[in-house]
Amino acid sequence: MKRRLLTVAAFATGTLLFLLLLPRFEAPQPHGLRVTRGEARELADAAARRLGIAVGDAWTVLSWEPAPILEEQYRHDPELRRRAVEDPAVGPRLAGLRATYYRRNLVFDYLAAGHPAASADSEGTPLIAWCAYHGDLSAIRYLLSHGESLESFGENFGLDGAGWSGIDPHALGRPRVGKAE
């Protein structure tokens, strides 16, 4: 019974603290602006089409990203950052949704241009390893059907990096190829 009362008391205290602190939270989004991810995606797709990007042939990543230059300016001065959030000109520019478009068929075009399926970049990372790194299974199949070998992944066929799935790929650097460590 005592344990149940402590649980209820902890829940009530946490809820009360949450309600008291919530008004203090100020997200770096313009006040009164409401854009859903779907609406942002539609706007980004329309802008990409105007730039000549074949949206239907690309896969898109939509992410919320801070403006690094502004974040650097306000990092050490919380009061200045708070004022920037409230400013109608600066506040909307502190962060925003960013759409990045990736071509799906680039490997097919690369081989059609006469490059070998067993190509590697300047640091020796095989093209098939980059395809695996980015999860492009159709490109991997295409490379294998045009003479590439799973041996290019190294002794463990690239499985030594399989435990890294779920981690931000940009934080990992290059795909791992070769001997397991």
Side-chain angles (χ1 to χ4, degrees):
M1 183 69 167
K2 194 174 191 180
R3 179 185 268 176
R4 183 175 288 163
L5 286 175
L6 285 174
T7 303
V8 170
F11 174 77
T13 303
T15 303
L16 181 64
L17 282 173
F18 176 75
L19 292 174
L20 289 173
L21 294 175
L22 186 61
R24 293 183 155 302
F25 176 74
E26 296 201 21
Q29 185 169 359
H31 300 287
L33 179 64
R34 301 289 181 258
V35 177
T36 66
R37 289 182 75 83
E39 292 167 338
R41 176 75 181 265
E42 289 174 18
L43 291 168
D45 286 351
R49 284 187 191 93
R50 284 194 302 273
L51 292 172
I53 295 172
V55 175
D57 293 336
W59 56 276
T60 309
V61 173
L62 192 63
S63 57
W64 182 262
E65 294 185 7
I69 294 172
L70 292 175
E71 287 297 326
E72 178 67 29
Q73 293 296 315
Y74 301 129
R75 179 182 309 159
H76 304 293
D77 192 345
E79 176 57 26
L80 185 59
R81 188 178 199 301
R82 186 193 60 73
R83 289 195 338 251
V85 167
E86 294 172 355
D87 186 280
V90 178
R93 290 163 178 81
L94 288 175
L97 287 169
R98 176 186 179 132
T100 307
Y101 293 87
Y102 298 93
R103 286 187 54 188
R104 291 187 178 157
N105 56 358
L106 188 58
V107 170
F108 304 104
D109 295 346
Y110 184 76
L111 292 187
H115 299 281
S119 295
D121 67 12
S122 62
E123 295 185 26
T125 304
L127 179 57
I128 195 168
W130 280 113
C131 294
Y133 179 74
H134 290 288
D136 194 345
L137 184 58
S138 62
I140 292 171
R141 287 181 179 147
Y142 191 75
L143 288 171
L144 291 172
S145 72
H146 283 77
E148 178 57 291
S149 168
L150 290 176
E151 300 294 327
S152 296
F153 282 115
E155 142 184 327
N156 291 322
F157 301 107
L159 293 176
D160 53 327
W164 291 98
S165 64
I167 294 178
D168 179 8
H170 303 303
L172 298 177
R174 305 181 60 74
R176 295 177 59 192
V177 178
K179 295 178 100 177
E181 296 171 10

